């Protein structure tokens, strides 16, 4: 899973505070754990890999 914030110098009308808040939220260890543990309908297959510590 990855996110990319848009450069506000290149795109008009970007919500930079909201983008930073989302990034800060997704980087929280508890949220990273939830991302890694997410499954659909009890499937054992992992859908997303939270890799914030490796980037």
């Amino acid at each position: 899973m990855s996110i990319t914030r848009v450069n506000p110098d290149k795109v008009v009308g970007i919500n930079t505070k909201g983008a930073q808040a989302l990034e800060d939220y997704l980087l929280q260890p508890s949220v990273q754990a939830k991302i890694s543990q997410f499954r659909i309908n009890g499937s054992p297959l992992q859908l997303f890999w939270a890799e914030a510590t490796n980037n």
Side-chain angles (χ1 to χ4, degrees):
M1 172 179 266
S2 66
I3 63 169
T4 302
R5 284 186 285 140
V6 175
N7 184 340
D9 295 333
K10 295 185 177 186
V11 180
V12 178
I14 297 301
N15 179 352
T16 55
K17 288 182 182 180
Q20 185 63 57
L22 175 61
E23 181 178 318
D24 293 344
Y25 171 75
L26 290 172
L27 292 175
Q28 293 178 31
S30 61
V31 176
Q32 291 282 295
K34 288 178 185 178
I35 290 168
S36 293
Q37 295 166 1
F38 181 79
R39 305 292 188 273
I40 292 181
N41 297 329
S43 170
L45 301 176
Q46 186 172 351
L47 298 176
F48 301 106
W49 284 260
E51 296 290 336
T53 58
N54 295 328
N55 293 310

